[in-house]
Amino acid sequence: MGLPGHRRTSSHKRRRASHFALAKTSATECQKCKAPVLPHRACKICGFYRGRTVVDTARAAARLVKRLTAKKPPVPPQEHDHEHKNEKKA
Ligand SMILES: [Zn+2]
């Protein structure tokens, strides 16, 4: 199995860690509703992007609510036209 050839010194660790910091995101302002918006993305509040409305936010919100409240219907036991060999019969 591979082993580290040399001990990593504290300065080596710190030099490597100097690149770990996350870059700060630059939010801009929505042209329509003045809400903070990430660059190259439609506004989440009003759906505005590059001079026009591209997202129907009312419909998007309704779909999100529907998705979050949706329940999966229970799967009914299916009929078989064959027998299972190792299945125990009740
Ligand atoms: Zn907006």
Side-chain angles (χ1 to χ4, degrees), residues 28-54:
T28 54
E29 198 177 60
C30 175
Q31 289 175 1
K32 199 176 175 187
C33 70
K34 308 296 175 198
V37 182
L38 288 171
H40 306 107
R41 283 162 185 82
C43 176
K44 282 191 173 180
I45 310 296
C46 64
F48 202 73
Y49 183 68
R50 290 192 79 177
R52 65 191 182 98
T53 305
V54 291

